[in-house]
Each structure stands twice: as structure tokens, then as C-alpha cells.
Amino acid sequence: QVQLQESGPGLVKPSETLSLTCTVSGGSMTSYYWSWIRQPPGKGLEWIGYIYFSGSTNYESSLKSRVTISVDTSKNQFSLRLSSVTAADTAVYYCARTYGGDFYMDVWGKGTTVTVSS
Amino acid sequence: IQMTQSPSSLSASVGDRVTITCRASQSISTFLNWYQQKPGKAPKLLIYTASSLQSGVPSRFSGSGSGTDFTLTISSLQPEDFATYYCQQGYSTPLAFGGGTKVEI
């Protein structure tokens, strides 16, 4: 049974870079897309972007200039970097396995809270 | 593509039939997925490709629709179904979620 686990700092200073890693266990990363989604406090879900296991990426338009998603299949991990963060980037960040073609997210991590504050 | 859910919240009782609507700003064929989220938890996939029930999801959940209009129906609301429900289009990037529908007692 595939499981995902997010990890990374829970507190990031304004203007710095948020970095998170998602570790995939119980299965292979091959043939799947891997997404990052976030949820600001009390608000809805926002898709950030995804990476295919081979390395191709696609990002939300409004975040594209600040986001980088990378993958390391040898470690069964993929990562999110979001630069120049502000308080508006405070959210719970989720990673999710994304089924290609229909692009639904069938396995999710538990989420990690990231607060942007000095 | 913008996804609009209605209502944004609703009150219902155990045993009620509940219907949630999701509308896309352009045709997305049947590339529409539904999720359930409980407080403090990650979303859970319920329905994919408009009407396919995810493995392990109770059969009281069903989805329908194509093009721009979709519905999620809970045939007989159970206590564990009180949650927030989100639709998501998988037709084109950027992938997008609806604003959510909170189902309350």
C-alpha cells in the first residue's frame, strides 16, 4: 500500500525559500505524476504543480515564477521549492500521487503546516 | 478552467439524500473528480472520471454529469459523511478545485 509523507521546516521567514520533500513508500514512482497541493487556513485546496516520474513538470500559472518541483526516483522522493515567500504562502502543504490521463489524486500525504513569519 | 460548487454549505440530517453541484467554466468532458475532507485530515478521493467509485468508498456515494455540469449524490447521509466536499477538474492544466461544499448537521 503506497504511503506518502511530507517533511520540511514548519516555519519560514518572509522572502526566503520554502522547501518540502515527499517520501513515497510501499510502491514505485514509475508511471505516475506526483503533485503538490496547498490549503491556506480556513480555505480551499489549491493545486501547485506536478512532476512526472521522468522529470517533466507543470505548474499553476500564478506560482510558476516561484515554484520548482523535482524528483529523485532513486530515493523515492519528490520535492517542492517555493521562493520569495510571504504570509500568503502560509498553508498546509500536501503531496499526492496523481493518476495520469484523468489527473485525479488517489493517494495523499497527511500534510504539513508551513507558517511564513519573521 | 474555473470550477464553481454549489451550495457552499448545507445542513442535512442522517438519512437525507444530499446533492452537490459542480460547474466548469468550459467543457471538461468527464474529467471531473470528487474528494471528501474532514477537519485536520487530508482529502480522500471518492469519485473519479465523473462517475467511477474509488475502491473502498461506500456505494451511497455516486457521481454523474459531463461537459460542464456535474453532481455528487449521497443517497442516505451517514454520521461519518459530515465533511467538506471538493470537485476537481483533470481535463487540462492548471488542475483546479472547486471552492468546496461543507455538509453540516
Side-chain angles (χ1 to χ4, degrees):
Chain A
Q1 179 182 353
V2 175
Q3 293 184 315
L4 281 62
Q5 178 67 59
E6 305 89 351
S7 59
L11 180 64
V12 181
K13 290 182 168 57
S15 80
E16 296 190 344
T17 296
L18 178 160
S19 295
L20 297 175
T21 295
C22 183
T23 301
V24 180
S25 59
S28 171
M29 297 190 73
T30 303
S31 299
Y32 288 99
Y33 293 80
W34 302 90
S35 288
W36 287 98
I37 302 101
R38 69 181 182 179
Q39 185 170 37
K43 296 189 177 181
L45 301 167
E46 179 183 26
W47 177 75
I48 298 171
Y50 64 56
I51 189 164
Y52 194 45
F53 78 100
S54 61
S56 61
T57 56
N58 203 304
Y59 302 132
E60 161 61 44
S61 308
S62 64
L63 299 172
K64 195 170 185 176
S65 63
R66 299 194 292 130
V67 171
T68 302
I69 299 176
S70 58
V71 65
D72 186 341
T73 54
S74 67
K75 294 182 178 180
N76 258 27
Q77 292 178 335
F78 63 108
S79 299
L80 169 70
R81 287 173 57 86
L82 181 65
S83 64
S84 305
V85 297
T86 69
D89 297 309
T90 294
V92 177
Y93 285 76
Y94 296 100
C95 59
R97 188 175 76 172
T98 304
Y99 201 88
D102 298 342
F103 290 103
Y104 57 83
M105 295 143 205
D106 65 338
V107 182
W108 293 67
K110 293 181 178 181
T112 188
T113 298
V114 178
T115 302
V116 179
S117 174
S118 56
Chain B
I1 298 175
Q2 309 298 321
M3 307 301 296
T4 304
Q5 285 182 239
S6 60
S8 56
S9 66
L10 65 90
S11 295
S13 300
V14 172
D16 284 353
R17 181 181 182 89
V18 170
T19 298
I20 298 169
T21 297
C22 179
R23 175 164 289 175
S25 59
Q26 67 182 73
S27 178
I28 58 171
S29 184
T30 56
F31 293 94
L32 191 285
N33 311 305
W34 290 98
Y35 302 85
Q36 176 194 66
Q37 186 180 34
K38 296 181 179 179
K41 301 294 187 181
K44 171 188 172 183
L45 178 67
L46 297 177
I47 303 281
Y48 61 95
T49 322
S51 61
S52 297
L53 194 67
Q54 174 69 349
S55 175
V57 174
S59 59
R60 63 181 178 271
F61 291 93
S62 64
S64 64
S66 66
T68 60
D69 295 319
F70 302 86
T71 58
L72 172 70
T73 300
I74 309 172
S75 61
S76 178
L77 198 65
Q78 297 302 300
E80 60 268 31
D81 300 337
F82 292 95
T84 300
Y85 295 84
Y86 293 93
C87 61
Q88 174 247 323
Q89 68 86 10
Y91 179 78
S92 66
T93 54
L95 306 181
F97 292 89
T101 296
K102 186 174 184 179
V103 177
E104 301 176 294
I105 300 173

